[in-house]
Amino acid sequence: FFFFNDTATTEIYTEQIVGSVRCVQETGYQRRVHGEIVSTFDNPERAEKVLGTCKLIEEIMIGEDKVIKFSGCSKREACTIVLRGASSHILDEAERSLHDALCVLVSTVKSKRVTYGGGYSEMTMAKACDDAAKSIKGKQALAIEAFGKALRQLPMIIADNGGFDAAEIVQSLKVEIEKGTPAAGIDMNNGTVGNMKELGIYECLRVKEQALNAASEAAEMILRVDDIIRCAPRRRDRA
């Protein structure tokens, strides 16, 4: 395949002319077939480096739109994810969820460190807060206890989303954490406390740190608000 450096049109050729695809250079066609954009044939010795291969190129219909599908690419460096939904609101929500998942994957690739999921890390941090509050005098102990209580809300939300009895599961998880049970977390398949290591449930440590820091900063910003200024409503005179 030859990718011609044209600002408006990229022509894709095989032994016979397959068609013309209007796109910009950044759409990733050259990455899909492991080729390069060229604007001249003056360097035939670079053919092995600039020519890409693909087993099949076909035009398919997705809904009411026609798209070009590349199959059997030699080097899969790019792909296309097609989202379909009944309304624009559902598509927007699906796109946001997919974007969040991809961001987590990127963070996981950059930072290899992981922690157990299923509420294990939150309950462990809450236990550490409770232990620290016992050795601190004054109002600071109350703030530390409140922070630990807020951390326990995350496992509660996880259990609620699965339709389970959140209070019972979180209390059972708290007991296991107090006992020192390693890798204890919420098993969403059975609605019980399970071993996260055996179930293979992990979370990216970097994402967990970012979420914790963002929540702490938001709470601190709210606590710094000492007064609220409200604008008086506009007076309306009856005619």
Side-chain angles (χ1 to χ4, degrees), residues 15-35:
E15 294 179 356
Q16 299 177 353
I17 297 179
V18 175
S20 174
V21 181
R22 296 185 62 84
C23 63
V24 295
Q25 298 176 12
E26 290 78 14
T27 51
Y29 281 106
Q30 68 274 14
R31 290 192 297 166
R32 287 186 176 91
V33 297
H34 195 201

Side-chain angles (χ1 to χ4, degrees), residues 17-155:
I17 297 179
V18 175
S20 174
V21 181
R22 296 185 62 84
C23 63
V24 295
Q25 298 176 12
E26 290 78 14
T27 51
Y29 281 106
Q30 68 274 14
R31 290 192 297 166
R32 287 186 176 91
V33 297
H34 195 201
E36 294 183 8
I37 299 176
V38 296
S39 57
T40 179
F41 295 102
D42 294 338
N43 301 314
E45 66 278 1
R46 298 184 66 247
E48 296 182 358
K49 296 182 179 180
V50 299
L51 296 185
T53 58
C54 184
K55 293 181 180 179
L56 177 64
I57 295 181
E58 56 184 336
E59 186 180 71
I60 62 175
M61 291 287 297
I62 298 181
E64 299 179 355
D65 300 325
K66 294 181 179 180
V67 296
I68 302 298
K69 180 182 177 182
F70 291 79
S71 303
C73 300
S74 58
K75 190 173 183 180
R76 299 176 179 85
E77 293 185 350
C79 63
T80 300
I81 300 176
V82 180
L83 299 178
R84 300 185 65 184
S87 64
S88 60
H89 299 288
I90 296 177
L91 285 176
D92 292 339
E93 186 63 27
E95 184 180 359
R96 284 192 292 268
S97 300
L98 181 62
H99 179 267
D100 293 341
L102 292 176
C103 291
V104 172
L105 289 176
V106 171
S107 299
T108 305
V109 171
K110 292 181 178 179
S111 177
K112 305 295 183 181
R113 302 175 64 186
V114 295
T115 182
Y116 295 120
Y120 169 81
S121 57
E122 288 82 6
M123 295 299 291
T124 304
M125 288 186 290
K127 180 180 180 300
C129 290
D130 293 341
D131 295 340
K134 295 177 182 179
S135 59
I136 296 178
K137 298 180 180 180
K139 295 182 179 180
Q140 292 183 355
L142 299 177
I144 296 174
E145 290 178 353
F147 193 87
K149 183 179 179 181
L151 289 171
R152 292 192 182 93
Q153 293 300 313
L154 294 176

Side-chain angles (χ1 to χ4, degrees), residues 86-232:
S87 64
S88 60
H89 299 288
I90 296 177
L91 285 176
D92 292 339
E93 186 63 27
E95 184 180 359
R96 284 192 292 268
S97 300
L98 181 62
H99 179 267
D100 293 341
L102 292 176
C103 291
V104 172
L105 289 176
V106 171
S107 299
T108 305
V109 171
K110 292 181 178 179
S111 177
K112 305 295 183 181
R113 302 175 64 186
V114 295
T115 182
Y116 295 120
Y120 169 81
S121 57
E122 288 82 6
M123 295 299 291
T124 304
M125 288 186 290
K127 180 180 180 300
C129 290
D130 293 341
D131 295 340
K134 295 177 182 179
S135 59
I136 296 178
K137 298 180 180 180
K139 295 182 179 180
Q140 292 183 355
L142 299 177
I144 296 174
E145 290 178 353
F147 193 87
K149 183 179 179 181
L151 289 171
R152 292 192 182 93
Q153 293 300 313
L154 294 176
M156 295 280 288
I157 295 173
I158 295 175
D160 283 334
N161 289 339
F164 301 116
D165 189 348
E168 182 177 356
I169 294 177
V170 172
Q171 180 60 29
S172 300
L173 179 58
K174 181 180 178 181
V175 172
E176 295 296 329
I177 295 296
E178 291 289 342
K179 290 181 180 179
T181 304
I186 301 176
D187 183 357
M188 295 299 293
N189 293 325
N190 303 315
T192 58
V193 177
N195 191 306
M196 298 296 99
K197 184 177 182 180
E198 295 177 356
L199 296 174
I201 301 176
Y202 299 93
E203 291 180 322
C204 178
L205 180 61
R206 180 58 179 166
V207 175
K208 184 69 66 177
E209 290 176 348
Q210 290 177 349
L212 187 63
N213 291 333
S216 301
E217 291 173 359
E220 183 180 354
M221 181 180 64
I222 294 174
L223 292 175
R224 288 177 181 272
V225 177
D226 55 359
D227 195 6
I228 299 177
I229 299 176
R230 294 182 180 180
C231 180

